[in-house]
């Protein structure tokens, strides 16, 4: 929409950027080198912010041909005869969002350091407010493999289990949880079927309204629950 642009012999500085992309408005700055040839040889630096966006909108912007595909196939590139334009980028910077929606779950105050190079994407130092708690983690996507491989690790603190139950439209649990996870697997639709990883959960003041033990005892309560889970071959142990 608008920007102030300064041309120098070896670079272009774009500031006061106001742009519409991926279904939302963005502000920020971009520094682009000049005279370096192909996109992969030109390291771009940026700082971008948006008030609100969603994973589905980002998917459609990166790959317009996927508009009729499910949101979780955002990273599937089967059928393409040439790499998508963004896989040749060499860019790094910081992205912030007031609100970011992932398949019906809304996060707020989102920020991350983003790096794209050689067909690999890294989101480092991701922080967000989610489910009345805090999230911190890192995710890596390797587009040079077929299918693309996703790997992530992170921590959740003071998460409301009631908020999770509400998102599932089933009030099956309340309480507060801390959790940490490590996951790795192919990015397309079978990620959860093929992913390998582990999860540690620590829950306090839990209530399970659907679970009754004995007559007239009421719903099952637990002051403290700790557990570890392993995701392997499509099963949770």
């Amino acid at each position: 929409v608008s920007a102030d642009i300064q041309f120098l012999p070896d670079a272009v500085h774009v500031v006061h950027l106001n742009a519409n992309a991926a279904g939302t408005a963005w502000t920020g700055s971009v520094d682009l080198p000049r005279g370096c040839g192909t996109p992969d040889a030109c390291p771009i630096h940026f700082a971008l912010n948006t008030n609100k966006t969603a994973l589905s909108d980002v998917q459609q912007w990166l790959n317009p041909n996927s508009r009729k595909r499910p949101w979780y196939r955002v990273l599937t590139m089967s059928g393409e005869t040439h790499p998508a334009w963004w896989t040749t980028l060499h860019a790094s910077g910081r992205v912030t969002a007031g609100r970011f929606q992932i398949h019906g779950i809304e996060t707020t105050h989102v920020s991350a350091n983003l790096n794209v190079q050689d067909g690999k994407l890294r989101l480092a130092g991701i922080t967000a407010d989610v489910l009345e708690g805090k999230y911190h983690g890192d995710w890596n996507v390797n587009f040079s493999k077929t299918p693309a491989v996703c790997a992530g690790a992170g921590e959740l603190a003071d998460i409301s289990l009631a908020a999770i139950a509400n998102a599932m439209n089933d009030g099956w649990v309340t309480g507060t949880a801390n959790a940490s996870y490590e996951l790795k697997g192919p990015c397309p639709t079978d990620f959860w079927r093929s992913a390998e990883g582990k999860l540690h959960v620590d829950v306090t003041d839990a209530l399970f309204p659907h679970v009754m033990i004995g007559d007239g005892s009421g719903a099952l309560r637990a002051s403290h629950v700790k557990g570890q889970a392993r995701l392997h071959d499509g099963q949770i142990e």
Side-chain angles (χ1 to χ4, degrees):
V1 177
S2 64
D4 294 334
I5 304 176
Q6 181 183 20
F7 290 90
L8 299 177
D10 58 351
V12 176
H13 298 308
V14 182
V15 296
H16 303 143
L17 176 68
N18 179 13
N20 292 328
T24 191
W26 297 83
T27 59
S29 62
V30 181
D31 291 329
L32 305 95
R34 299 180 65 187
C36 51
T38 59
D40 57 344
C42 299
I44 300 170
H45 300 281
F46 58 85
L48 298 174
N49 174 73
T50 182
N51 289 329
K52 180 180 180 181
T53 189
L55 178 63
S56 57
D57 292 332
V58 175
Q59 170 220 347
Q60 293 177 3
W61 184 69
L62 291 175
N63 185 8
N65 294 328
S66 68
R67 291 183 184 275
K68 296 183 179 180
R69 302 163 70 189
W71 69 270
Y72 46 77
R73 300 198 65 183
V74 58
L75 302 175
T76 306
M77 297 173 60
S78 59
E80 293 187 2
T81 58
H82 58 278
W85 62 268
W86 46 269
T87 62
T88 62
L89 284 180
H90 182 184
S92 62
R94 188 161 183 81
V95 176
T96 59
R99 291 187 291 171
F100 184 63
Q101 192 173 70
I102 306 175
H103 193 46
I105 296 178
E106 187 169 277
T107 63
T108 59
H109 305 108
V110 182
S111 65
N113 297 315
L114 188 152
N115 181 276
V116 181
Q117 186 176 2
D118 299 329
K120 298 178 181 179
L121 181 148
R122 175 171 174 77
L123 288 165
I126 307 168
T127 60
D129 295 342
V130 59
L131 299 171
E132 302 180 21
K134 302 289 185 179
Y135 170 79
H136 181 272
D138 303 307
W139 278 91
N140 296 281
V141 184
N142 188 347
F143 295 104
S144 64
K145 297 182 179 295
T146 303
V149 176
C150 293
E155 297 179 350
L156 294 156
D158 299 324
I159 298 299
S160 167
L161 297 181
I164 295 177
N166 290 336
M168 300 170 66
N169 296 316
D170 182 3
W172 65 278
V173 66
T174 65
T176 303
N178 298 323
S180 61
Y181 70 88
E182 294 180 11
L183 290 171
K184 183 177 181 179
C187 296
T189 54
D190 61 347
F191 176 79
W192 292 110
R193 183 182 299 274
S194 304
E196 302 283 327
K198 58 184 179 180
L199 171 72
H200 176 80
V201 179
D202 191 329
V203 180
T204 57
D205 298 324
L207 174 67
F208 302 90
H210 296 345
V211 181
M212 308 289 179
I213 299 179
D215 295 335
S217 61
L220 176 65
R221 292 181 178 273
S223 60
H224 196 186
V225 180
K226 299 176 71 173
Q228 298 185 41
R230 177 172 176 256
L231 188 63
H232 178 70
D233 290 338
Q235 296 183 346
I236 297 177
E237 300 173 357

